[in-house]
Amino acid sequence: MIRLPGTAMATIVFFHAHPDDEVMGTGGSAARASDEGHRVVLVVATNGDHGEVPPDLADGETLIDRRRAETARSAAILGIHRIAWLGYQDSGMTGWDQNGHPASFWQAPVDDAANRLAAVLREENADILVTYDWHGAYGHPDHVQVHRVGHRAAELAGTPKVYESTWNRDAMKEMAADFTSSDPSIGEEFDPDGPSDDGNPFGEPASAIHLAVDVTPYLTHKRQAIACHASQTTDAGMFAAMPEDLFNRGFATEWFIEPGVSGPPVPGWLLDEAPPR
């Protein structure tokens, strides 16, 4: 692995929309980077305040309190060194009234939000920023905004390398077909070619993806970190309860677009190529 010129180790910043997003598509990469001695920073755009409200909130405890505590536990498992919260309100799914709330991330002027993120990038002297693909994998307004804000912040801060986290639609279709042959209900529950939150198919085709990162050694970290987000039973709870073979197949590879570089994906690592400094 090539180290960054003039530094023994790199700093990589993962930018996510909500609490629990840090695990699904990039948790293994965060754990690997930390394990290799790099500095890993998580920036979360929103408080996740439109997630599921658990029935066991303590007196005075809010959903935001719970989700921040869950994120702290998840980050500890993944080896994340710092969590920074941009403090925006969750915008809800496409078409929700919350999309129009002035405090929502979706309504934030891109440059205003980008300056908040750029401040973290500068403080950390970040070498790499990981954001989302153009529609945040499935079109959630906050995920789309992460893409926009992430790229603008990297420009403002002069961060030399940007990757976009995504999901490989072709690989997911192949996996769904394999599992459907033994359990037809799986294929009925999820069709990667079907419309996601914004009406577009899920993820991106292999032809658009540059990097396939094998995180098999960190699958236990991912599963434990997902389980930290126990308040979110529909998403995190479902993934935490998946059969081991299905979980491993679905989460052992993390996919990244490098802007300007086409697919198909090649095996590699976010720190294989040193950005100029």
Side-chain angles (χ1 to χ4, degrees):
M1 178 172 61
I2 302 173
R3 300 299 184 188
L4 299 177
T7 62
M9 289 293 159
T11 296
I12 182 166
V13 175
F14 292 90
F15 182 36
H16 285 284
H18 311 104
D20 79 16
D21 286 334
E22 78 282 352
V23 188
M24 310 304 179
T26 65
S29 294
R32 175 176 171 179
S34 181
D35 193 39
E36 291 180 353
H38 301 287
R39 180 166 173 80
V40 180
V41 176
L42 168 63
V43 179
V44 187
T46 80
N47 297 315
D49 33 342
H50 294 310
E52 296 175 75
V53 180
D56 62 342
L57 289 177
D59 289 343
E61 183 186 20
T62 67
L63 177 61
I64 293 172
D65 295 334
R66 175 66 63 87
R67 299 201 73 184
R68 287 195 175 205
E70 289 175 340
T71 302
R73 291 193 291 272
S74 167
I77 288 169
L78 298 176
I80 291 169
H81 300 93
R82 176 189 176 187
I83 305 171
W85 299 86
L86 295 191
Y88 290 101
Q89 182 172 296
D90 188 335
S91 306
M93 307 295 280
T94 299
W96 288 16
D97 290 344
Q98 290 89 340
N99 296 172
H101 195 289
S104 71
F105 188 44
W106 182 241
Q107 291 298 321
V110 169
D111 270 16
D112 288 357
N115 273 303
R116 295 190 194 186
L117 176 58
V120 178
L121 296 174
R122 294 189 190 102
E123 288 168 11
E124 295 290 345
N125 194 26
D127 300 291
I128 296 172
L129 172 68
V130 177
T131 183
Y132 295 157
D133 69 35
W134 68 276
H135 69 135
Y138 70 104
H140 188 296
D142 289 328
H143 286 240
V144 175
Q145 190 78 320
V146 161
H147 169 82
R148 297 171 178 170
V149 169
H151 278 280
R152 179 59 176 145
E155 181 182 9
L156 291 171
T159 303
K161 193 81 165 180
V162 177
Y163 287 102
E164 297 174 359
S165 172
T166 191
W167 293 84
N168 185 333
R169 188 187 311 148
D170 297 319
M172 296 187 77
K173 287 192 292 185
E174 181 181 336
M175 183 180 71
D178 289 346
F179 281 102
T180 299
S181 64
S182 59
D183 183 353
S185 66
I186 294 175
E188 295 171 3
E189 291 173 4
F190 178 61
D191 175 13
D193 281 328
S196 294
D197 194 50
D198 62 350
N200 289 293
F202 191 87
E204 285 290 274
S207 61
I209 300 171
H210 170 53
L211 201 59
V213 175
D214 180 5
V215 297
T216 302
Y218 300 96
L219 282 170
T220 299
H221 295 71
K222 287 189 74 166
R223 190 153 200 158
Q224 290 175 348
I226 288 172
C228 289
H229 295 281
S231 68
Q232 305 305 297
T233 57
T234 300
D235 292 329
M238 176 187 67
F239 293 132
M242 286 171 67
E244 185 174 3
D245 58 343
L246 184 57
F247 182 91
N248 292 351
R249 178 87 179 268
F251 288 100
T253 303
E254 294 178 350
W255 309 93
F256 299 92
I257 294 170
E258 183 174 357
V261 181
S262 62
V266 296
W269 175 221
L270 297 170
L271 290 153
D272 280 345
E273 299 175 6
R277 199 68 168 159

